Amino acid sequence: MTTLDSAQFSAALTALSDDSVRKDGEERWIRDRGFPVRDKDGKVRRIVGVADDVSETRKAQQELLRSNADLERFAYLASHDLQEPLRMVTSFVQLLQKRYEGELGSDADEYISHAVSGAERMRRLINGLLALSRVDSRDLKAERVSSNVLVRDAIADLKVAIEESGSKVKVGGNLPAVYGAKAQLTEVFQNLISNAIKSASPDRPPEIRVTARDRDGMVEFSVSDNGPGIEEKDFERIFEIFQRLEKAQDEKGTGIGLSLCRRIVERHGGKMWVKSEPGEGSSFVFTIPLQSTLPAENPA
Amino acid sequence: MRILLVEDNPAEACLTREGFADVGLIHELRVVDDGEKATAFLRREGNCANEEVPDLVLLDLNLPKKCGHEVLKDIKSDPDLLHIPVLVVTNSHAMDDIEKVYRSNGNCYLVKPPDLNDFFSMVRRIVDFWWDTARLPPAV
Ligand SMILES: Nc1ncnc2c1ncn2[C@@H]1O[C@H](COP(=O)(O)OP(=O)(O)OP(=O)(O)O)[C@@H](O)[C@H]1O
Ligand SMILES: [Mg+2]
C-alpha cells in the first residue's frame, strides 16, 4: 500500500469535488465530505469520502424561490389583466339592467341581477389579490408614523359601518410612533376593526379596544372585541387566503383581509396572531418595529 | 365640439359612446382603433383628408401599432396639434404611466372606473369641465 503525499492528497480531494461538470457537460452541484485514512505512522493512505450529487435539492430550493416570485408576478399581472375584461362584463350587464329592467320579464331581471352580483364579487376578489401581490412587489415606503394617526384614519374610513352597527371603538391612551408605510398600516387597523364589526355577536353591540405596548424594540398592538370569539383550531386557518369561518355572516367578505394584514405586518418585520376565548371575544395582536430594521434601508 | 376617441377595444369604444349618448353628445364622437390611425386622423393624411381636427382627444394607452404615449408625443410636438387638450383615459393605475403622460404634456390622466355609473359620471364631468367650465382656443 502506498502513502499519499500532500499533492496526491489534494488531488484526491479535488477529484471528489471536481465532478461538478458531468461528462455530458451538464453542471451539477456536489457536496462532498472526505477524510484521510492514516497508517500507524500517521501517513495518509487513502481518502475516504462521500460525494453527493445535491443538484436536485439545490434545484428544488432555487425553484421554490423563483416560484414565489413568479407567483407574485402572476398574481399582479393576472389581476391587472383581468381588470379590463371584468370591467366589460360588469359594465355591460349593468347597462342591460339600466336599459331593460322590467321589460324582459321577471326571470330576465333576476338573471341579470345574479350576473351583476357575480361580477361584483369577482371584482372584490381580483382587487384583493391585486392588493395582496402589491404588498411584496412594491418598495416599502417606510417613514416614522404616529399610530394615533393610523388608527384615527382607519376609524374615519369606517365611520358609516361603525355608526350603523352602533359600535364603540376605544383607543387605549396615546399610541406610540412606529416605523412603516402609512397606507399599509392604516389598512391593517381598518381590516381588523371592520372584522370585529362584521363578526359581532348578535346579542351585544360591538366594543372594540385598540391598545399598544412596548415589547423588545417593537410595538405590540392589539385590536380586541367582545364578539363570539374564535376556536383554537381556527387560529391559523383564518389567516390563510380565501378562508372564512362558516358562521361569517357577511356574504360580501372575500377571506383576503387577514392574509393581507399578516403579509403587511411581516413585510414590516413583525408578526401577527390571534388570541381568543370562544364566547368572550378575540384579540388580534401584531408587532411593528419602533425603528427602521429593514435591510434595504440599513446598508451596512 | 368634436371629440376623437382613440381606443382599440370595440367594447370599450361602445361604452364610451354610450357615455356620450347619455349626455346627448354622441354625434360629436369619432373613433379610431390604433395609434397610427390616430396620428393620420389628426394630420388629415390619406383618407382622413376630409376630417375636421377635433377639439379634444380621448386617448387610451394600450394601442396596437403605436402606443398611446407615442401618439401623445406626436401631438405635443406638432405645432398644428399641440394646443388640443389630450385626456388619457385608461385602465392602468401605474405610477409610471401617470408620470410619463404629464411629462409629455398630457392634459389630464383618468382611470376608467370599473362601475358603469361611475364611468358615466366621469364622462359627464369631462363634458361639464371641458365644455362648460374651461375656455378653449377657436377651432382651426
Ligand atoms: N374579530 C373576529 N371575530 C370573529 N371571527 C373573526 C374575526 N375576524 C375575522 N374572523 C373570521 O376570520 C375570517 C377571515 O377574515 P378575513 O378578514 O380574512 O376575511 P373576511 O373579513 O371574511 O373578508 P374580507 O376581509 O376579505 O372582506 C372571517 O370570515 C371570520 O370568519
Ligand atoms: Mg376582513
Side-chain angles (χ1 to χ4, degrees):
Chain A
M1 209 183 236
T2 51
T3 58
L4 297 166
D5 62 24
S6 66
Q8 286 172 311
F9 180 76
S10 59
L13 269 182
T14 325
L16 275 176
S17 52
D18 256 14
D19 276 348
S20 62
V21 177
R22 263 191 347 197
K23 291 206 176 63
D24 61 11
E26 191 192 335
E27 202 172 319
R28 309 294 292 177
W29 284 90
I30 309 293
R31 183 180 60 196
D32 53 28
R33 284 150 297 175
F35 58 92
V37 178
R38 293 165 202 274
D39 60 18
K40 58 183 186 309
D41 305 323
K43 292 235 169 72
V44 177
R45 289 264 170 209
R46 290 189 289 163
I47 303 280
V48 177
V50 192
D52 290 336
D53 185 335
V54 290
S55 307
E56 293 312 312
T57 322
R58 188 156 165 116
K59 216 161 102 196
Q61 280 170 353
Q62 281 179 334
E63 257 160 27
L64 193 67
L65 279 178
R66 199 171 34 228
S67 72
N68 278 341
D70 277 352
L71 207 65
E72 260 149 42
R73 217 179 130 63
F74 169 77
Y76 184 78
L77 287 181
S79 31
H80 238 229
D81 290 345
L82 287 175
Q83 299 276 8
E84 177 167 319
L86 178 66
R87 198 175 92 83
M88 290 300 99
V89 173
T90 315
S91 300
F92 282 102
V93 283
Q94 285 178 324
L95 195 58
L96 264 179
Q97 195 173 40
K98 202 178 155 105
R99 293 276 159 83
Y100 299 105
E101 184 150 44
E103 285 177 35
L104 302 173
S106 61
D107 276 355
D109 286 352
E110 193 189 326
Y111 303 157
I112 293 174
S113 85
H114 289 324
V116 169
S117 52
E120 260 158 29
R121 178 158 179 79
M122 174 96 109
R123 186 165 88 213
R124 274 194 301 275
L125 284 167
I126 290 176
N127 286 343
L129 278 180
L130 192 59
L132 204 58
S133 64
R134 270 186 195 143
V135 174
D136 291 299
S137 62
R138 292 204 172 163
D139 291 342
L140 194 68
K141 294 212 171 59
E143 55 184 335
R144 230 179 126 68
V145 285
S146 148
S147 28
N148 287 315
V149 173
L150 300 175
V151 176
R152 194 193 62 203
D153 288 356
I155 292 174
D157 287 341
L158 292 168
K159 191 167 179 279
V160 177
I162 292 173
E163 279 169 9
E164 278 177 0
S165 58
S167 305
K168 283 204 188 74
V169 187
K170 291 185 197 146
V171 180
N174 195 28
L175 303 177
V178 291
Y179 193 81
K182 197 166 173 242
Q184 289 190 359
L185 295 178
T186 307
E187 197 159 354
V188 173
F189 283 110
Q190 194 188 322
N191 264 306
L192 295 180
I193 297 170
S194 127
N195 278 352
I197 297 172
K198 288 193 301 187
S199 314
S201 296
D203 54 335
R204 48 183 186 260
E207 271 178 33
I208 301 153
R209 270 184 73 77
V210 183
T211 55
R213 62 178 180 132
D214 283 0
R215 190 169 147 168
D216 314 326
M218 308 277 271
V219 180
E220 187 181 283
F221 291 100
S222 159
V223 178
S224 318
D225 62 56
N226 61 344
I230 296 161
E231 286 177 57
E232 192 168 347
K233 67 170 173 52
D234 294 320
F235 280 6
E236 275 307 301
R237 190 160 86 88
I238 52 170
F239 288 100
E240 280 164 30
I241 188 164
F242 301 143
Q243 291 292 341
R244 311 173 62 219
L245 303 180
E246 293 68 42
K247 57 186 175 216
Q249 290 149 6
D250 138 68
E251 66 293 347
K252 291 193 169 158
T254 57
I256 292 178
L258 284 176
S259 48
L260 181 65
C261 289
R262 185 178 257 182
R263 259 208 199 198
I264 291 174
V265 168
E266 286 175 354
R267 182 84 206 274
H268 282 77
K271 284 192 165 48
M272 177 179 250
W273 63 95
V274 65
K275 294 191 291 196
S276 177
E277 279 296 327
E280 303 282 308
S282 330
S283 297
F284 285 84
V285 188
F286 63 98
T287 54
I288 295 290
L290 272 164
Q291 249 115 47
S292 163
T293 53
L294 300 159
E297 255 140 359
N298 277 337
Chain B
M1 283 273 278
R2 292 188 156 264
I3 315 148
L4 175 68
L5 171 66
V6 191
E7 170 66 70
D8 64 314
N9 181 338
E12 293 271 14
C14 169
L15 219 65
T16 306
R17 265 206 205 93
E18 290 289 345
F20 279 91
D22 208 47
V23 289
L25 290 172
I26 182 79
H27 302 297
E28 321 283 334
L29 199 68
R30 293 281 173 282
V31 185
V32 293
D33 61 6
D34 74 48
E36 279 177 7
K37 283 185 199 153
T39 321
F41 184 103
L42 290 163
R43 294 188 176 140
R44 291 182 280 180
E45 290 163 358
N47 55 3
C48 300
N50 296 324
E51 296 288 352
E52 277 178 63
V53 178
D55 302 291
L56 195 77
V57 176
L58 302 178
L59 181 64
D60 187 17
L61 287 182
N62 237 327
L63 292 170
K65 295 197 182 153
K66 194 185 251 186
C67 82
H69 289 294
E70 288 171 73
V71 175
L72 177 60
K73 278 197 186 128
D74 285 350
I75 297 174
K76 293 301 177 184
S77 59
D78 184 330
D80 292 331
L81 302 176
L82 55 76
H83 65 280
I84 304 172
V86 180
L87 281 55
V88 169
V89 187
T90 167
N91 280 309
S92 161
H93 298 252
M95 227 3 124
D96 273 5
D97 282 331
I98 300 177
E99 240 180 273
K100 244 181 171 168
V101 163
Y102 285 107
R103 281 189 183 284
S104 316
N105 298 317
N107 298 73
C108 172
Y109 190 103
L110 298 161
V111 179
K112 295 170 189 164
D115 183 272
L116 180 78
N117 291 319
D118 295 343
F119 179 68
F120 278 14
S121 68
M122 186 186 87
V123 172
R124 217 167 300 129
R125 266 179 278 156
I126 291 177
V127 170
D128 279 351
F129 183 77
W130 293 98
W131 269 247
D132 300 332
T133 315
R135 304 284 302 264
L136 300 181
V140 267

